[in-house]
Amino acid sequence: MFLRNAWYVAAWDHEVGRALFPRTICGQNLVLFRTEDGAVAAFEDRCCHRNAPLSVGRLIGSEVECGYHGLAFDRAGACVRVPSQSQVPPGARVRCYPVVERHRWIWVWTGDAAAADPSLIPDMYWHTDPAWRLAAGGCLHAKCQYQALVDIQLDQTHSKYVHPTSFANEGAIRAPALARRDGRRLHGGRVMANSDPQPFMRRAADYKPALADVWIKWTYEPPCAVMFDTGIAEPGAGALQDRTKGNGITIFNTHFSTPETERSTHYFWASARNYKLDDPALDALMGKIHDIFSEDVAMVEAQQRGIEAFPNEPIIDVGSDAPTIQARKLVARLIEEEGNARRVA
Amino acid sequence: MFLRNAWYVAAWDHEVGRALFPRTICGQNLVLFRTEDGAVAAFEDRCCHRNAPLSVGRLIGSEVECGYHGLAFDRAGACVRVPSQSQVPPGARVRCYPVVERHRWIWVWTGDAAAADPSLIPDMYWHTDPAWRLAAGGCLHAKCQYQALVDIQLDQTHSKYVHPTSFANEGAIRAPALARRDGRRLHGGRVMANSDPQPFMRRAADYKPALADVWIKWTYEPPCAVMFDTGIAEPGAGALQDRTKGNGITIFNTHFSTPETERSTHYFWASARNYKLDDPALDALMGKIHDIFSEDVAMVEAQQRGIEAFPNEPIIDVGSDAPTIQARKLVARLIEEEGNARRVA
Amino acid sequence: MFLRNAWYVAAWDHEVGRALFPRTICGQNLVLFRTEDGAVAAFEDRCCHRNAPLSVGRLIGSEVECGYHGLAFDRAGACVRVPSQSQVPPGARVRCYPVVERHRWIWVWTGDAAAADPSLIPDMYWHTDPAWRLAAGGCLHAKCQYQALVDIQLDQTHSKYVHPTSFANEGAIRAPALARRDGRRLHGGRVMANSDPQPFMRRAADYKPALADVWIKWTYEPPCAVMFDTGIAEPGAGALQDRTKGNGITIFNTHFSTPETERSTHYFWASARNYKLDDPALDALMGKIHDIFSEDVAMVEAQQRGIEAFPNEPIIDVGSDAPTIQARKLVARLIEEEGNARRVA
């Protein structure tokens, strides 16, 4: 069960060009492509004639031609040509999804097109703002339900165990988890004065002292965007209130866990910094985040196998689960409201 | 759901020898072999004792010996020996299918043995007639429902898109599809005066002019035989009425799409010509038809994935679908009649 | 459907050490390990918090630490630490299975812990008795229902067909199958005076004469232990009554077919002799039993495919099936009694 009226990241901008690009999101097979003017379009990946995937056809100008019998569809999904006859049958069209290209990602709306408001796309200005360097990013495929990835992102008590050599942070285990609702958003994280900086952050900041002020703050936008503001600075200089103090560094990490199916996820991630914008060695270090997030994937994939092996066992909650429980309730409520709205309509 | 009372091609003649040869057709596991006198027999591939597949046993003379406990079955499937006792239990036998070897293929009847009339086997005399050269043939495995292969064979409007460098034929797209019922058979195709000859036919005929008289005529025999009479000749010489006119060539292509399971098919094909019977270069060229028919398989396998991804979407028909719709109705009616007959009996 | 109140072999002793060792038995995911004092423990392989498999965590001292959030469990499965808080939530524990290490194997009880009586473990003293040499052993993975392996073990009429070059024994095919119930146990086999010794036994005994007294006696303990006492000796010397007569040899083969799932099995086997205890060449010969038992696995895997392909076909029994039918009835009755006891309780 997925939230329908939502923007999902379907691809990085560079993944979609003048080739037909198939991708499944929320259990729906899509084909994405750029029209001649560079705009991105997304169709359901099936010809309305005999169900052949359009992605095995051809892109000709801004039209998609089915590879089976040559039916052609314009950028809005309307069939404009049936080669074997002069008329196009009424109703011959394929579903066309609302698409927005923003923040280096291609966003697709899976619900009612009339409700597709681009202002609902989470703000990730650091992906393109010249004051920031988008140093690393990618897409990991995870054989798990998407919410398991959101869970691991919202709860830093896992870092010591899942990322022992990189994001491990003793302080985060005992620091209280903050969580505050703000409309559809949830804000949370941990703010730790005089704590142990994560090994990775030490390296990124070239930071030597034993302790630092450490912050790991996130914003969750349902159903699957998690944006981190994380940094370290000299302790006691006020960096926890103002990041410019204390000679610290800030890194913003973005996570978007687009459901592929009920049990698999396209996990998009990006990492940006606002310092040393032109430093290839630092870019290379931040590229290693791929390996760190792959540790998350390995853990939630193992967890998924555990869930499937023990489908009926009760689970025990602990205190630090509060944000993830709140996030799941938020999504459940949105899905329920969506269902109610459809029943009324 | 398959038509039961029908002959299905289970194998090429050379595939079946003095080794036990397992093959699944219509969801039924069979084992085929030749008895000492060279005749082909087909059993269900299971010992009646403990379900071990007979195909992992041994062929001894004309008896099949189960590889587990040595039970032996004669060519009619009757158990003739239980090594551990002197008596054979009553009812110990395995199902034996009617088999006919004809036209280089091994035909198996999956329905009531009493109704297995060899005269119902489609005529494919060109496979063995000395006036013809059976230049190429094979068996492709396709992960699709068998009727998807019949569909692609009966509708030539796909050729330009699926076979752009070989069978592409602009004329076939606009030429009206002919279809005529003749008892259980359906005849159809396209006859095109002054049309563009297919690149493959040009090569096979060593034909230079821009235009030719082109014919692509087929006979469909339910549930899954499609036989083509196709050729090109100099335009206006009367070849469309009489193939000997116009210095043309004729190739007969045979297709038999035997269901393996509901979603997979053994696709047997053969290609024969009635000219230059002894020309190895031409044989080699016709051998390339393997690649062309593999393009069909790739398309219908993609289509199968599309059908499974969108199980409930309506499809739109176009005019050139008429023969395939007629063919599917024919099969549906035969299956329904078969069911009615069983309920009465 | 498995017998719950039973000891199952989960592993060889050497497989379980100071690493977390996952293994599925009877459809239940387990993790096994040795505590600091060398004792073996078996937990269900899931953290009670969020279902992460404990096997991807760490063993620290005698505690298992979950690899996700660091929850720690003592050797009895009780949660003793939640790193992110000072209190352990009530009910936080994982299921701990009764375990016994005996006869070189690790035995796990899958039923009610209160009923886990170690005296119910079958006696296999020859695995460790200094008068015996445990020359070979292993664990084969078989894609079949476990009872299919028990069946092939209890009925020697298969040997000529499945093991033509090693255990083949013409005499066993016609010799009457003995079977005698003794409490929960079943004793059976074949005793053959003046019979053809198996090629393998000839080699193991360096035995030249054409005929021998041959015995193949087994004890079956439900649900899946089969223990063989097998030997050959000079004919007529009385070895069939007293193995010390007739210059013969005895080999004890042990089989334990632990269900992994309804359709897969961990097939543990061992082979011991009571002569030439220090003979590496004989050890090497007995190591080849791996290949012989692999022939059994290949046959029952083929049989499993046959059973699944023909789920509704009746099967025919023969006389030599009596012991396997009796064994299956024994298990069915035990499972039924277990169900009745649970309903009453």
Side-chain angles (χ1 to χ4, degrees), chain C residues 101-309:
Chain C
E101 181 171 3
R102 188 176 291 179
H103 310 316
R104 304 285 319 275
W105 284 347
I106 308 300
W107 301 79
V108 170
W109 179 265
T110 59
D112 304 324
D117 177 358
S119 75
L120 295 171
I121 293 175
D123 188 9
M124 302 167 174
Y125 65 86
W126 53 92
H127 288 196
T128 51
D129 189 313
W132 289 78
R133 166 77 182 153
L134 185 66
C139 181
L140 294 160
H141 189 266
K143 289 183 274 301
C144 67
Q145 201 252 2
Y146 79 96
Q147 285 190 301
L149 277 161
V150 173
D151 284 348
I152 203 166
Q153 291 151 14
L154 297 192
D155 180 3
Q156 286 69 54
T157 65
H158 78 272
S159 295
K160 177 182 172 188
Y161 303 98
V162 176
H163 313 298
T165 63
S166 55
F167 280 2
N169 181 217
E170 195 68 50
I173 295 173
R174 288 298 187 135
L178 313 171
R180 171 174 63 83
R181 176 113 176 251
D182 160 22
R184 269 170 74 118
R185 286 187 198 85
L186 209 60
H187 299 284
R190 285 172 171 85
V191 171
M192 298 155 279
N194 260 310
S195 187
D196 57 319
Q198 308 95 314
F200 175 85
M201 294 300 278
R202 267 190 191 288
R203 291 191 286 271
D206 196 19
Y207 188 87
K208 309 291 188 206
L211 297 179
D213 283 356
V214 176
W215 66 97
I216 305 170
K217 295 191 281 191
W218 49 257
T219 297
Y220 169 59
E221 291 208 31
C224 44
V226 183
M227 291 152 288
F228 276 89
D229 166 0
T230 180
I232 62 171
E234 290 165 6
L240 297 178
Q241 289 74 43
D242 175 356
R243 70 174 84 253
T244 65
K245 306 276 180 66
N247 299 309
I249 62 159
T250 298
I251 288 177
F252 279 12
N253 288 322
T254 323
H255 306 259
F256 201 98
S257 301
T258 301
E260 181 186 46
T261 66
E262 292 285 351
R263 291 181 179 185
S264 61
T265 301
H266 299 293
Y267 168 23
F268 296 90
W269 66 275
S271 188
R273 66 178 184 271
N274 66 352
Y275 69 102
K276 293 188 186 172
L277 299 190
D278 186 19
D279 183 333
L282 203 44
D283 289 352
L285 176 67
M286 288 173 70
K288 296 269 175 75
I289 292 180
H290 167 92
D291 300 336
I292 304 173
F293 292 163
S294 295
E295 290 171 336
D296 289 316
V297 169
M299 176 51 70
V300 294
E301 289 186 339
Q303 182 191 21
Q304 179 77 24
R305 294 192 298 271
I307 289 167
E308 293 177 17

Side-chain angles (χ1 to χ4, degrees), chain B residues 7 100 102-103 109 115-123 185 221:
Chain B
W7 291 103
V100 170
R102 187 176 293 179
H103 309 316
W109 180 265
D117 176 359
S119 75
L120 295 172
I121 292 176
D123 188 7
R185 285 187 198 85
E221 291 208 32

